[in-house]
Amino acid sequence: MKRSLFFLQTIFLSLFLLVSASPVKAFVSGGVAKAYLSPISGSIPVGQTSTVKVMFNTSGVKISGISLKLSFSSTSNDLELVSAVKDTSSGLTFPFEPVVTKQNGVTTIVIEAIDFSTTGYSNTANTPLAILTLKAN
C-alpha cells in the first residue's frame, strides 16, 4: 500500500528535446527544471557512432522522478541506440531500459528515473543522467 501511494504521488517531469535545440525548461511546482544534451547539436556520418550526454538540473526543486523524451531527426529511420549507460551517481533508480521508437525519420528515446526517497531529489548543478552512444546506419 505504501508503494502504491508513492507512485500516486510521483511527479514526472516531462521534457522534450531535439538534438539541435537549446536546453529545455520544464515548469514544475516551485520552479523550473532544465535538461539538455551535450554536445547540444551535431551530425553522425553513416557507419559512425557518437556519444551524447543527457544532463539535467532541477534548480533546487524536489522531484520524485524524471521522464525524458529525446527526439532525433534523420533522413531515414536508421539511427540506432548502441548503448545507454545510466548514471546512478545522482542516486536515482532506473526501473526500465530506454525505449526506442522510429517513425518518419525521427528516432525517439525515452529515459525514466525515479527517486525512492521520502524527501525527493533536487540538485542545483548540471547532473549527468545517461550517456547514449548512437550510430547512423
Side-chain angles (χ1 to χ4, degrees):
M1 180 68 163
K2 192 174 188 179
R3 185 172 255 182
S4 296
L5 288 175
F6 173 80
F7 285 112
L8 290 175
Q9 295 173 351
T10 299
I11 300 171
F12 285 101
L13 171 64
S14 296
L15 304 174
F16 300 95
L17 305 175
L18 293 175
V19 74
S20 61
S22 58
V24 174
K25 297 178 181 177
F27 296 95
V28 295
S29 179
V32 176
K34 302 171 198 163
Y36 69 95
L37 302 177
S38 177
I40 202 158
S41 66
S43 61
I44 306 171
V46 173
Q48 300 294 312
T49 61
S50 182
T51 301
V52 178
K53 289 183 183 178
V54 181
M55 308 289 287
F56 76 107
N57 184 335
T58 72
S59 300
V61 176
K62 292 189 177 199
I63 62 170
S64 50
I66 184 167
S67 179
L68 298 176
K69 181 179 181 182
L70 312 171
S71 296
F72 300 91
S73 296
S74 64
T75 55
S76 67
N77 286 331
D78 289 334
L79 187 63
E80 173 187 352
L81 176 62
V82 175
S83 69
V85 178
K86 298 164 263 186
D87 191 318
T88 57
S89 64
S90 65
L92 296 175
T93 301
F94 295 85
F96 310 107
E97 290 300 314
V99 175
V100 179
T101 57
K102 299 177 182 185
Q103 184 175 6
N104 299 325
V106 176
T107 299
T108 302
I109 303 169
V110 177
I111 302 172
E112 298 178 323
I114 297 174
D115 174 51
F116 284 106
S117 74
T118 58
T119 58
Y121 173 85
S122 69
N123 63 8
T124 56
N126 296 330
T127 303
L129 184 67
I131 299 173
L132 307 178
T133 300
L134 304 169
K135 182 178 182 181
N137 294 315

